[in-house]
Amino acid sequence: SLYEGPVTFAYPSSWRIAPRNSQSMPQLKNLVANSGNTAYVEVYQFSGYNSPEQALRAIQQYVSSMGASLQYKTAGQAGGYSVFTGQTVYNGGGINWMAAFKQTGNGVAGIAAGANQNTGTKYQTTIVKILNSLR
């Protein structure tokens, strides 16, 4: 399926756009997840932000305010996007993810795609394909 919004990307047709949850940060526009909610893509739009790093720091602060821990590192550039890899740890569980953000006319937009660490590498190929489809 094709997602078209602040950014455009392809995702598995079996995945669905999930309803927004009241605990989501305001810049999270959509969540696309598999049926078990063990793998996902988060779509973000940060109005008024000046850099992808500023957006990542905002996500990090938000996650921290919810009692979780988020670590990330820069993984380079691809197709006009800054790419990051990271891990979010909460309640003894964790999510391994990759993210790609770019500057837009009015801020920063991009996605974070990841999977519950209990799935191991099962969704790694899918996540890379999603990131590679990003326009």
Side-chain angles (χ1 to χ4, degrees):
S1 295
L2 191 65
Y3 178 92
E4 295 179 278
V7 294
T8 300
F9 60 91
Y11 62 92
S13 59
S14 60
W15 290 25
R16 295 287 170 251
I17 294 178
R20 279 183 49 82
N21 142 350
S22 63
Q23 293 184 343
S24 298
M25 73 185 292
Q27 295 88 346
L28 176 65
K29 298 305 173 193
N30 282 113
L31 175 73
V32 182
N34 67 352
S35 60
N37 290 321
T38 56
Y40 67 91
V41 182
E42 294 175 335
V43 181
Y44 288 95
Q45 186 168 24
F46 293 88
S47 296
Y49 281 53
N50 299 317
S51 71
E53 291 77 12
Q54 188 182 11
L56 257 290
R57 284 193 302 274
I59 295 170
Q60 189 177 40
Q61 287 175 337
Y62 187 83
V63 165
S64 177
S65 76
M66 302 300 279
S69 160
L70 183 151
Q71 268 91 39
Y72 68 91
K73 62 184 176 192
T74 304
Q77 300 278 323
Y81 286 85
S82 295
V83 180
F84 304 88
T85 59
Q87 183 179 46
T88 303
V89 178
Y90 60 95
N91 295 341
I95 296 169
N96 296 316
W97 50 266
M98 292 179 74
F101 286 91
K102 69 175 180 179
Q103 285 189 259
T104 63
N106 64 344
V108 173
I111 64 172
N116 182 306
Q117 67 185 16
N118 296 335
T119 64
T121 57
K122 181 177 177 183
Y123 290 102
Q124 202 164 355
T125 305
T126 302
I127 288 163
V128 169
K129 282 182 182 173
I130 289 167
L131 282 160
N132 286 339
S133 76
L134 195 56
R135 299 289 167 259

